[in-house]
Amino acid sequence: MLSPSARFSALALLAIVAPATIVAALGYVSIRQWEASSELLYREQARDMATMAAEKVEMTLRRAEDDFLDRLQAALRAERSPGRAIDAVLAGSPLVRRLYLVGARGELLYPRAWKESDAAIFGPLVSEPAQRKLERGGQRVVIAENQICRALLTGRGGEAVVVAFLRDGDTLRREILATTLGALESPTIIAVLDREGRTVYSRAPIGDAPRVLSVQFRDALPDWQLAVYQTPGASPRQAVRRQVMFFTGALGALVAVIVAGSVATWRLMRRETEMARLKSDFVANVSHDLKTPLSVIRMFGETLEMGRVTDEGRRQEYYRVITREGERLTRLIDNVLDFSRIEGGRQTYRMTPTSVEPLVRGTLETFAYPLAQQGFKVEVSVAPDLPEVAMDADAVGQALANLIDNAIKYSADDRALTVDARVVDGRLVIAVTDRGLGIAPEEQAKIFEKFYRVGRSDTQGRRGSGVGLALVRHIAEAHGGDVTVESAPGEGSRFSLRLPLGRS
Ligand code: ADP
């Protein structure tokens, strides 16, 4: 069953974890949706932009070619032999690289002769059937393959004149594509690809930028495409990616914090539960520890009171038992009271220069009776000429008594107790050694915690309150020292109380 505070922690934890989890889940779902919709939007925008750009290119190109044809038509109408005028029109039209004018019967009107292998290429395009097709279609400019355009004009006498010209690639790139596409305000890379997919023009180096989409040009540039590429780092898609990564990171951090917090709270709850158990054990243990000496005192007291013990020697023995049990009771109550003072932060220590030897021998003296009665082999060794040490003599005496009490309590058949005091590395070390039950390595750090007791089977049912060593440690630390243990199960233990020598 959980203690009230542990229950409160569990509820608080739930109150944090549940909303945080919902927020994290909602956040994740919404950034995924956002990512999907913004990508869709980006593609739509890119498509609109590409279509518009392609239309603009075609319009510009048409206008330039219409303009050229207008001027050509004017030249044809004006002159009987328009050769020179046509030369002039041609000179003013860099977009036109080669120009041929053919009469209705297929005779070459301009220039005088076919250049190089042009007759083979242009010939079929201006032949009679081609002419009729042109007339029927009524189209002014028709694009054949390889950037050759055809148109139908009229001569001075109203006769049909077929015009065929080849576009100049460089001028097309420079004056039509570059001026039209270069002026577009868009962070993307736009390129024009010919029918073989070769790049004719691109606004910026494409490198290995991925292609977003491409749209086909219409009549003015058949089979050519306008392609849009994603600029590295600058595309909205990558911006969204970055945002998504940022949010995912933040969500991850949130989840990590929640998990860490939950684990910490769970640990705290477990500690509290454990502490609650230890506390209730403590009450039972102390009560039991008080009861034993009290019942002994009562029993011996009553026996003496009844006057049944006539033998003086036995009477003396009974008095000693009563005194010893009284001392045990005092020690126990002192421990509990001191412990509660320490817990409440009310414990104070009065430091006075103290001789070590009388303190050690005096404390041991109070155990003379149980030591003798239980047949302990006792050894005391106090280094000669120990200096006086500043300490609260009562407190240090109490700590030493607790260590001796434990040594007696946790001894089995091999009953031996050694107390030695010496200076080691500039510190006073008072060590209590026994050859008793010993302590398993994994327990050695825990035994100094309040209420902690090693399991019943290991201590063979010996009673205790679990505050003795906690008190020893507190006293040691209050003096600027510490307490350590060396122990092996079945071999015995050595507890060392180490105190600074102080300035005196
Ligand atoms: P307790 O009242 O249980 O003796 P302590 O705080 O004095 O409480 O000791 C804590 C635990 O440490 C004991 O329950 C015991 O298991 C172990 N312990 C202490 N001293 C010794 C010792 N000299 N030999 C073996 N075990 C010891």
Side-chain angles (χ1 to χ4, degrees), residues 470-490:
L471 216 75
V472 175
R473 184 170 68 175
H474 188 273
I475 292 168
E477 286 173 358
H479 283 74
D482 60 12
V483 54
T484 58
V485 62
E486 300 151 69
S487 182

Side-chain angles (χ1 to χ4, degrees), residues 34-337:
W34 179 42
E35 190 183 31
S37 64
S38 68
E39 206 162 316
L40 212 67
L41 189 72
Y42 172 65
R43 289 186 74 82
E44 269 174 26
Q45 282 177 346
R47 183 169 296 283
D48 285 353
M49 191 268 302
T51 313
M52 200 193 72
E55 275 171 10
K56 214 171 150 192
V57 167
E58 287 191 287
M59 234 170 63
T60 316
L61 186 57
R62 282 244 185 274
R63 203 177 295 145
E65 286 171 348
D66 275 351
D67 186 49
F68 164 69
L69 289 172
D70 283 348
R71 280 186 286 135
L72 199 58
Q73 180 65 77
L76 283 176
R77 286 253 169 81
E79 314 269 344
R80 199 161 231 292
S81 51
R84 281 171 167 249
I86 295 174
D87 282 345
V89 171
L90 205 51
S93 309
L95 185 62
V96 177
R97 179 127 63 110
R98 294 279 171 83
L99 171 71
Y100 293 101
L101 271 65
V102 179
R105 286 179 306 280
E107 75 280 19
L108 186 62
L109 302 176
Y110 177 93
R112 292 221 174 107
W114 297 100
K115 263 186 208 155
E116 296 154 23
S117 54
D118 281 359
I121 304 166
F122 285 80
L125 301 175
V126 292
S127 62
E128 248 191 277
Q131 268 189 40
R132 272 198 297 278
K133 216 166 136 199
L134 264 179
E135 280 162 8
R136 268 204 311 275
Q139 286 161 297
R140 195 168 190 195
V141 176
V142 176
I143 312 281
E145 292 167 10
N146 297 327
Q147 302 296 309
I148 295 177
C149 312
R150 290 176 297 158
L152 199 58
L153 300 180
T154 43
R156 198 170 145 85
E159 72 285 10
V161 176
V162 179
V163 178
F165 61 87
L166 173 71
R167 284 176 182 156
D168 182 73
D170 266 352
T171 314
L172 177 69
R173 219 184 332 266
R174 220 176 33 246
E175 288 187 6
I176 308 293
L177 300 179
T179 44
T180 319
L181 297 179
L184 280 181
E185 276 183 22
S186 165
T188 46
I189 303 175
I190 298 170
V192 174
L193 313 178
D194 68 10
R195 47 190 299 160
E196 273 83 38
R198 286 177 306 227
T199 309
V200 179
Y201 163 83
S202 93
R203 223 158 68 130
I206 298 171
D208 48 9
R211 190 193 291 190
V212 180
L213 51 85
S214 58
V215 295
Q216 293 280 344
F217 285 102
R218 279 183 292 188
D219 303 338
L221 287 164
D223 298 329
W224 281 30
Q225 292 179 15
L226 187 138
V228 177
Y229 296 85
Q230 192 177 82
T231 327
S235 76
R237 195 204 242 158
Q238 271 171 331
V240 169
R241 270 276 141 76
R242 275 198 295 273
Q243 293 276 12
V244 168
M245 264 161 66
F246 173 75
F247 275 110
T248 312
L251 275 181
L254 181 69
V255 170
V257 167
I258 291 169
V259 168
S262 313
V263 170
T265 316
W266 183 73
R267 284 214 183 117
L268 205 75
M269 272 162 51
R270 252 189 31 174
R271 246 186 89 86
E272 281 212 9
T273 321
E274 171 74 0
M275 205 34 104
R277 192 181 62 75
L278 288 176
K279 266 184 192 163
S280 79
D281 284 359
F282 166 73
V283 174
N285 288 335
V286 169
S287 315
H288 189 276
D289 262 16
L290 289 173
K291 246 168 114 177
T292 320
L294 274 177
S295 52
V296 172
I297 290 170
R298 255 184 70 186
M299 191 181 78
F300 281 78
E302 281 167 7
T303 314
L304 286 169
E305 196 183 21
M306 281 189 279
R308 292 231 193 94
V309 188
T310 45
D311 178 42
E312 181 55 27
R314 279 193 60 201
R315 263 213 299 271
Q316 288 303 320
E317 166 91 20
Y318 281 19
Y319 291 138
R320 265 200 301 274
V321 170
I322 289 173
T323 315
R324 177 190 33 109
E325 291 301 317
E327 279 168 1
R328 248 185 84 184
L329 265 182
T330 312
R331 235 186 354 260
L332 200 75
I333 290 167
D334 279 352
N335 267 353
V336 172
L337 287 180

Side-chain angles (χ1 to χ4, degrees), residues 282 285 289 332 335 402-411 432-440 443-444 446-456 458-459 462-472 485 487 492-495:
F282 166 73
N285 288 335
D289 262 16
L332 200 75
N335 267 353
N402 281 344
L403 294 180
I404 296 171
D405 194 33
N406 280 349
I408 298 172
K409 195 159 67 172
Y410 299 107
S411 279
V432 178
T433 313
D434 63 56
R435 287 194 230 138
L437 304 177
I439 304 152
E443 302 278 2
Q444 289 179 11
K446 299 188 209 157
I447 55 174
F448 296 100
E449 285 169 18
K450 60 185 176 188
F451 308 135
Y452 189 84
R453 305 201 67 231
V454 176
R456 207 166 235 276
D458 290 336
T459 53
R462 289 160 172 80
R463 308 287 309 196
S465 60
V467 296
L469 287 179
L471 216 75
V472 175
V485 62
S487 182
S493 314
R494 177 182 171 86
F495 283 87

